[in-house]
Amino acid sequence: MKRIYKWLLIIPIGVFSACDSLLDVDPEFTQDAENFFNTPEDFNRAIIGVYDMMQPAYLNIWIGEIASDNSIAGGESVNDTRGLHEIQDMTHGGVNDELRAVMRVNYTGIARANYIFENQNKIDFQGKNLILAEARMMRAYFYFNLVNYFGDMPLIIDRRLSINEVSSTPRTPKAEIYTQIESDLRAAIEVLPATVSETGRLTSGAARALLGKVLLYQNKFGEAATVLGGLIDNNAGGYSLFEDFTTLFLVANQNVSEDVFTIQFSGLNGGDYGCLICLNGNAAVGFHGVRQYEGPFYADGNSYNLPTQDLYDAFDDNDIRRDATILDIDAFIASQPNPSSITYAIGGGGHTGYFQNKYIKRANELGLPDDDLTSPLNYRVIRWADVLLMAAEAFQRSGNDGRARTELNKVRQRAGMAGINASGDALYQAILRERRLELSGEGYRFWDLVRTGQAATAISGFVTGKHELFPIPQVEIDLVGGTWSQNPGY
């Protein structure tokens, strides 16, 4: 099987740093449509360019954890990726490099998908419908990210937006964006195959899982239960829980039955610190590594996104997921045969004694130099355990506690934990707690707290009515002539 790798395209479908407007992301006159989309290969190159824009997944991992009670920003100092420290402290505002990157990355992906749709009728060929279905799913994914971060956003479909239109394009209500997301996903489900021969290509199962998540985030619990329950009951993709959770996040165990929707990475050279979105590798992994580490198994990194004591203490002592999720560095060193020879440094950006143990730099999984930036460890956007827990929540919230317990306890059984027999709100809270234990370190925690109304209780400094959304980058408001209003509280 062949894996999809990153392509650098010269056609105008999204050079991220090419211009100042997030909506007009491409350099003019690089290569016009008259000279492209004339062959099936052109369309194949274009769709790989859309896949490419899912690779800056490190932003979702970092922000989804650091904005929550799961992690602190870490790093060399508080000025090392200062935007993450502001998000950690809930002091972030409209000037924040990480939040601007989120907006620009996702709109670049949308622009690339829209460019394909704009030219979809130029030629016909076998397989075009599949390419369009992939583009629909990824466009839905990009818009889902934008709605979660920023709420109302300009909705542009099937065409590029000229620079002259930017200042007159209003923010679209998020309900309308959700309607488009659902429409794109339902259309994609009808075309995408259940299984693929080319590793990394999207499947109908991935689209169904994302649709279930989109419905759950809108509190459409009955619809979410139908979609997710149907995915579980009619499991054409052959999904299942990987038997050994403790080794699930090793490179050797990726693209397994638990992987539903995965972003692929390789250990090849790509960008550099000046262009993290240009990378072939998973940037989060090196950044999560132990600073100046010298010892067995792990490799040195930048000590970002450090788990909190609160997260560590949330696990039962006999839960195998705790140590597989969180590296207690001092306990690990003490357990080695030569602890006195193992050293590491503490960064000035904060230290908890813990490191992310899912997406972390390991000595036998290094990519090409600079190996901080070239990890081949894939990012699991949605894995089967997440599907089961989302289904459990959807069933419980729509009145089917029995089915909710069934799906919840599948996840607990894999972890070696006793089954849950609760009902009603106690069951609901058990499901939410299980999501934290099972999925911590994967970038979901902040969104789970916000959508379930528990963020103000769990997150220090969280202001209700403000921090449910992140601020629109001020530079983007300025670029559209101030026609966009800022989100409340900012």
Side-chain angles (χ1 to χ4, degrees):
M1 293 188 294
K2 185 173 73 173
R3 173 177 293 184
I4 296 174
Y5 289 126
K6 190 180 192 90
W7 284 31
L8 294 178
L9 305 180
I10 63 171
I11 58 173
I13 54 176
V15 179
F16 179 66
S17 60
C19 71
D20 287 333
S21 171
L22 77 149
L23 297 180
D24 185 31
V25 293
D26 305 304
E28 294 186 63
F29 313 120
T30 304
Q31 180 177 343
D32 60 35
E34 296 300 320
N35 299 315
F36 202 75
F37 294 109
N38 292 322
T39 68
E41 180 60 23
D42 288 344
F43 278 85
N44 284 321
R45 289 176 64 200
I47 197 62
I48 292 174
V50 186
Y51 274 97
D52 190 32
M53 292 316 301
M54 292 197 296
Q55 289 192 302
Y58 63 91
L59 292 166
N60 286 344
I61 298 174
W62 290 349
I63 296 172
E65 296 296 312
I66 291 167
S68 79
D69 52 348
N70 274 1
S71 296
I72 67 169
E76 183 178 21
S77 72
V78 294
N79 293 315
D80 184 14
T81 318
R82 186 175 185 84
L84 294 180
H85 287 272
E86 293 170 352
I87 290 170
Q88 167 198 302
D89 297 333
M90 290 286 124
T91 60
H92 51 275
V95 180
N96 186 291
D97 289 343
E98 283 63 50
L99 295 176
R100 191 185 186 201
V102 167
M103 183 171 289
R104 292 170 66 82
V105 161
N106 284 285
Y107 266 119
T108 300
I110 291 165
R112 293 185 178 197
N114 282 349
Y115 197 54
I116 294 175
F117 286 111
E118 183 178 326
N119 293 280
Q120 63 181 305
N121 295 323
K122 287 194 68 176
I123 62 170
D124 287 318
F125 59 92
Q126 186 175 4
K128 185 174 77 170
N129 286 342
L130 179 58
I131 287 174
L132 296 178
E134 291 174 305
R136 287 188 189 280
M137 179 177 168
M138 285 186 280
R139 182 169 66 184
Y141 169 72
F142 296 133
Y143 269 123
F144 184 51
N145 285 337
L146 288 170
V147 167
N148 284 332
Y149 276 91
F150 305 113
D152 301 346
M153 293 301 297
L155 176 64
I156 308 104
I157 59 170
D158 296 351
R159 66 183 181 89
R160 290 164 294 168
L161 187 64
S162 74
I163 195 166
N164 294 327
E165 294 177 89
V166 172
S167 62
S168 61
T169 301
R171 294 174 67 186
T172 305
K174 65 179 182 180
E176 295 182 28
I177 301 176
Y178 269 125
T179 297
Q180 180 63 43
I181 291 170
E182 291 181 35
S183 175
D184 272 344
L185 290 173
R186 293 185 192 280
I189 287 167
E190 295 301 315
V191 178
L192 292 173
T195 60
V196 293
S197 59
E198 189 174 11
T199 303
R201 289 281 186 179
L202 297 173
T203 64
S204 58
R208 288 181 190 278
L210 183 57
L211 177 59
K213 185 172 185 175
V214 166
L215 294 168
L216 189 66
Y217 273 48
Q218 297 176 82
N219 295 332
K220 295 181 177 180
F221 300 117
E223 293 180 59
T226 297
V227 170
L228 294 167
L231 177 58
I232 294 167
D233 295 338
N234 303 297
N235 187 2
Y239 304 114
S240 63
L241 294 174
F242 186 73
E243 182 176 354
D244 182 7
F245 185 92
T246 65
T247 63
L248 176 59
F249 285 85
L250 299 179
V251 167
N253 291 330
Q254 53 193 15
N255 297 314
V256 294
S257 61
E258 184 150 349
D259 295 331
V260 179
F261 177 12
T262 301
I263 297 173
Q264 303 287 315
F265 292 98
S266 81
L268 302 177
N269 277 317
D272 53 33
Y273 283 97
C275 187
L276 294 183
I277 67 150
C278 302
L279 301 176
N280 289 309
N282 187 343
V285 174
F287 278 84
H288 291 170
V290 184
R291 182 170 292 273
Q292 297 178 25
Y293 177 81
E294 294 187 10
F297 193 72
Y298 297 101
D300 72 288
N302 299 305
S303 66
Y304 275 50
N305 193 14
L306 304 175
T308 61
Q309 186 71 49
D310 182 76
L311 174 59
Y312 187 86
D313 292 343
F315 289 89
D316 293 339
D317 288 343
N318 61 338
D319 191 332
I320 61 171
R321 294 173 297 188
R322 185 188 67 183
D323 293 344
T325 299
I326 303 170
L327 169 63
D328 181 337
I329 186 62
D330 291 332
F332 171 79
I333 291 173
S335 70
Q336 301 305 304
N338 55 341
S340 62
S341 67
I342 303 171
T343 59
Y344 71 96
I346 295 174
H351 181 66
T352 63
Y354 303 117
F355 292 82
Q356 299 288 346
N357 210 14
K358 289 179 176 176
Y359 296 104
I360 192 171
K361 192 175 173 185
R362 303 180 181 95
N364 66 343
E365 297 178 345
L366 302 181
L368 295 173
D370 181 343
D371 58 39
D372 273 352
L373 305 177
T374 55
S375 170
L377 188 61
N378 294 340
Y379 175 55
R380 292 172 162 112
V381 183
I382 301 177
R383 55 187 175 90
W384 193 241
D386 192 6
V387 170
L388 298 178
L389 292 175
M390 288 192 293
E393 182 181 347
F395 279 116
Q396 196 287 319
R397 297 289 278 168
S398 57
N400 190 341
D401 281 4
R403 181 66 186 269
R405 283 191 294 269
T406 295
E407 306 308 336
L408 167 64
N409 286 329
K410 289 177 184 177
V411 177
R412 289 185 60 80
Q413 181 179 17
R414 195 262 299 268
M417 305 301 290
I420 297 291
N421 297 314
S423 299
D425 186 65
L427 174 59
Y428 176 55
Q429 297 303 324
I431 293 168
L432 298 185
R433 179 176 183 272
E434 201 67 26
R435 286 191 62 80
R436 188 185 192 192
L437 301 178
E438 176 71 24
L439 302 170
S440 56
E442 299 179 47
Y444 313 128
R445 176 63 172 170
F446 177 76
W447 318 113
D448 279 349
L449 290 172
V450 167
R451 68 182 180 81
T452 59
Q454 299 183 353
T457 301
I459 302 173
S460 177
F462 187 95
V463 177
T464 301
K466 174 182 179 181
H467 288 132
E468 291 86 355
L469 296 175
F470 290 97
I472 303 295
Q474 186 59 47
V475 66
E476 307 299 351
I477 294 176
D478 295 341
L479 285 167
V480 297
T483 58
W484 295 351
S485 61
Q486 183 55 275
N487 281 330
Y490 296 102

